[in-house]
Amino acid sequence: MKFSKTLITGLILLAGVNAFAQKKAEKFEKLQIEMFPKAKEGYKQVYIQLPVAKNESDLKVEVFVGAEKMLDCNKYFMMGEMKDHDLQGWGYNYYEVESKGETGGTLMACPGQKLTKKFVTLKPETMRYNSKLPIVFYVPKDFEVRYRVLRPDAAMKKAVQN
């Protein structure tokens, strides 16, 4: 009797975990990236796959392309640019980053401060949220792409009138 209760409880838990795993897997569209060009020498192809979300037209994606560097207390930025390209015949876009990894920054004195690891980026780009398409990037091999999803405030606000 005790064994059958344990067995039934185990089967119910297993079914619940399986259902959760299937539901979790369904939150992503199956994406194809084979049609995108191969990365050129010294570059790598990376992409972002966004999960399916309610009201995707309300969401935006903020993308940061950069690299971690050992830096002092100054504020730094990466020099370079991200260019938008059209994938001919498909109507998709992809982004190519042109940068040599050089940084610029403020010139504050940082006496006695040790260098710390910081993620230094190009100017962030804001893009449409679309879970049906990958956001594909070609970046130098030592760069990485990070992103965050921007969500709207619950209520629309009115501007001040003069």
Side-chain angles (χ1 to χ4, degrees):
M1 183 71 168
K2 190 174 184 180
F3 176 74
S4 62
K5 283 184 180 179
T6 305
L7 181 63
I8 291 172
T9 303
L11 290 173
I12 290 172
L13 285 172
L14 184 62
V17 167
N18 189 30
F20 176 76
Q22 286 177 349
K23 190 171 185 180
K24 188 89 168 157
E26 291 171 356
K27 289 191 173 187
F28 286 94
E29 293 283 335
K30 180 166 174 43
L31 299 178
Q32 294 181 336
I33 61 166
E34 299 82 30
M35 71 285 289
F36 289 94
K38 299 294 179 209
K40 62 186 181 183
E41 185 69 31
Y43 280 70
K44 62 183 176 182
Q45 179 192 59
V46 296
Y47 70 94
I48 298 171
Q49 180 178 3
L50 298 167
V52 175
K54 287 185 179 180
N55 302 323
E56 288 188 4
S57 60
D58 289 344
L59 305 175
K60 299 285 184 202
V61 179
E62 188 174 25
V63 177
F64 303 87
V65 177
E68 287 191 345
K69 296 185 177 252
M70 296 301 288
L71 301 168
D72 59 20
C73 70
N74 285 285
K75 303 290 184 205
Y76 288 93
F77 61 92
M78 187 82 64
M79 290 188 264
E81 65 179 321
M82 186 180 339
K83 291 186 177 179
D84 185 355
H85 296 281
D86 182 43
L87 183 59
Q88 294 298 318
W90 289 88
Y92 299 165
N93 290 348
Y94 63 91
Y95 302 90
E96 189 172 350
V97 172
E98 292 181 2
S99 177
K100 294 178 183 163
E102 299 166 332
T103 58
T106 58
L107 298 173
M108 298 184 299
C110 305
Q113 186 191 29
K114 292 182 180 177
L115 299 180
T116 58
K117 190 180 276 191
K118 295 180 184 177
F119 186 60
V120 185
T121 68
L122 299 169
K123 178 182 166 231
E125 297 283 336
T126 304
M127 304 169 183
R128 276 182 55 230
Y129 190 105
N130 186 352
S131 63
K132 292 177 177 41
L133 296 175
I135 307 173
V136 178
F137 300 90
Y138 296 91
V139 299
K141 286 207 181 275
D142 55 342
F143 280 41
E144 64 180 282
V145 177
R146 298 181 185 181
Y147 71 97
R148 63 180 168 199
V149 176
L150 304 176
R151 301 178 188 286
D153 196 355
M156 200 178 290
K157 295 173 178 58
K158 195 172 182 179
V160 177
Q161 199 171 347
N162 281 336

